[in-house]
Amino acid sequence: MPIVTSTEMFKKAYEGHYAIGAFNVNNMEIIQGITEAAAEVRSPLILQVSAGARKYAKHVYLMKLVEAAEADTGLPICLHLDHGDSFELCKSCIDGGFTSVMIDGSKHSFEENVALTKQVVAYAHDHGVVVEAELGRLAGIEDAVNVKAEDSSYTRPEEVEEFVSRTGCDSLAIAIGTSHGAFKFKPGTKPQLRLDILEEVEKRLPGFPIVLHGASSVIPKYVDIINANGGKLVDALGVPEDQLRQAASMAVCKINIDSDLRLAMTAGIRETMAKEPEAFDPRKYLAPGRDNIHELVKAKIVNVLGSDGKA
Ligand code: G3H
Ligand code: 13P
Ligand code: ZN
């Protein structure tokens, strides 16, 4: 099966009340850990690449690695640009074989966001590629951009119908209280997503796939391993898994996970280096990182996303 768009995946996920995991990738071990776990539990997958990851690994390497993962597992895999910030970047990924792009115009005014998204949709649809857009603004860190909590804003449900009908986008990322990175909520507070906003959006856009960014749970097990082996991740806090499960049973069809992968990989490396300080063969410490990613992704698919057995 060639690399696919997310159209079919989202249709089935919406109807089946589950979500597809969209995992950020930037090297071979991460791609292998994710795809081998998904193959074990027969789950469709979205692998996503940020502008920073594309710069780090180069487009052609990521493309070939994802093609290799598809050939190795036979899974339906969608290759997606995460947080594209310009028409040119989206065009370059479309021309280079990605099957899905995100144009993130959330930092612009409503009208500018509509205009930019429309331009990307026109080019993408001409090339058989689907487009994710964003309304509302998440807090946290993406690449070098740090959106402060006070500059973030929830999605306004009253804007979503007009935005989707005017842009023709295929899915919509909304802001309901998640944020990027490992420090999502104040320590001592009880994290609570605004599922009421999601419900309102779902009423206004029946059948339309919604995307949740910043959805890592910041698994304590990996944070603890990192801290026990020289790390200093104090007050890391993520999205409770039961709230993600609830969102997946509603209109959320795509759940973005990057920070949890970073933590799992780093925990494997730190633990190995601490146990075997003499190790200098990268395979010695990258393999445990890859194993942690495998374990993490399998648990996400089965316990949170509910996409096991759907490939
Ligand atoms: O949403 C952002 C992702 O976590 C990607 O992060 O831009 O540092 O690669 P990055
Ligand atoms: P996390 O930082 O919660 O993993 O979010 C990742 C993300 O939204 C990528 O677009
Ligand atoms: Zn994101």
Side-chain angles (χ1 to χ4, degrees):
M1 186 186 288
I3 295 171
V4 297
T5 72
S6 51
T7 307
E8 201 57 27
M9 292 182 192
F10 287 168
K11 192 170 178 295
K12 289 185 185 159
Y14 197 101
E15 286 164 4
H17 303 286
Y18 61 92
I20 309 293
F23 299 97
N24 285 72
V25 298
N26 57 59
N27 71 20
M28 184 187 77
E29 284 77 10
I30 296 173
I31 292 174
Q32 288 177 334
I34 297 165
T35 53
E36 287 168 15
E40 201 182 312
V41 291
R42 301 308 305 161
S43 170
L45 263 186
I46 298 173
L47 297 180
Q48 56 187 14
V49 173
S50 68
R54 191 166 173 262
K55 198 166 161 201
Y56 171 81
K58 287 193 181 174
H59 184 100
V60 66
Y61 283 83
L62 293 170
M63 195 72 220
K64 300 288 178 199
L65 283 169
V66 172
E67 282 169 1
E70 188 281 320
D72 188 41
T73 61
L75 283 181
I77 298 178
C78 166
L79 178 54
H80 174 77
L81 167 68
D82 191 27
H83 292 285
D85 63 352
S86 67
F87 173 78
E88 291 71 26
L89 174 58
C90 292
K91 178 179 182 303
S92 170
C93 289
I94 293 165
D95 294 346
F98 281 34
T99 50
S100 175
V101 292
M102 175 188 193
I103 177 67
D104 181 356
S106 61
K107 64 171 186 269
H108 299 298
S109 69
F110 183 85
E111 285 302 325
E112 284 166 346
N113 191 356
V114 167
L116 180 59
T117 303
K118 255 176 102 163
Q119 189 190 11
V120 172
V121 167
Y123 189 80
H125 286 183
D126 266 357
H127 293 78
V129 169
V130 292
V131 179
E132 173 185 328
E134 180 165 332
L135 255 188
R137 196 154 192 224
L138 269 69
I141 300 169
E142 298 159 26
D143 268 332
V145 185
N146 189 352
V147 183
K148 292 201 180 77
E150 57 269 30
D151 295 327
S152 65
S153 54
Y154 292 122
T155 302
R156 292 154 52 90
E158 58 276 22
E159 290 182 346
V160 297
E161 291 148 289
E162 182 186 344
F163 185 83
V164 168
S165 70
R166 282 178 64 193
T167 61
C169 65
D170 302 282
S171 60
L172 184 68
I174 62 169
I176 57 168
T178 61
S179 59
H180 292 107
F183 305 91
K184 299 183 189 298
F185 300 98
K186 287 211 173 74
T189 60
K190 194 177 169 298
Q192 181 59 57
L193 299 186
R194 290 288 306 273
L195 295 170
D196 57 314
I197 296 180
L198 172 61
E199 202 175 347
E200 191 55 39
V201 168
E202 184 173 350
K203 270 190 208 141
R204 290 166 186 263
L205 294 173
F208 193 80
I210 300 301
V211 179
L212 210 54
H213 281 249
S216 280
S217 292
V218 187
I219 311 290
K221 173 178 155 180
Y222 297 120
V223 174
D224 291 347
I225 293 174
I226 292 170
N227 286 337
N229 292 286
K232 290 193 170 56
L233 288 173
V234 186
D235 295 339
L237 193 56
V239 185
E241 291 192 337
D242 60 328
Q243 293 182 35
L244 294 172
R245 268 198 300 276
Q246 211 177 330
S249 75
M250 298 166 72
V252 168
C253 294
K254 174 174 180 273
I255 290 192
N256 284 13
I257 294 157
D258 187 2
S259 297
D260 275 337
L261 298 169
R262 296 179 184 200
L263 294 167
M265 179 61 120
T266 304
I269 294 171
R270 275 199 183 265
E271 198 172 32
T272 310
M273 292 303 281
K275 265 193 226 144
E276 301 177 53
E278 74 292 352
F280 66 92
D281 177 345
R283 291 172 296 185
K284 274 261 178 217
Y285 49 85
L286 291 177
R290 180 175 59 188
D291 290 347
N292 280 358
I293 286 189
H294 186 123
E295 177 188 68
L296 167 87
V297 170
K298 189 174 159 190
K300 289 266 176 207
I301 289 171
V302 174
N303 303 331
V304 181
L305 300 160
S307 61
D308 48 312
K310 313 291 191 206

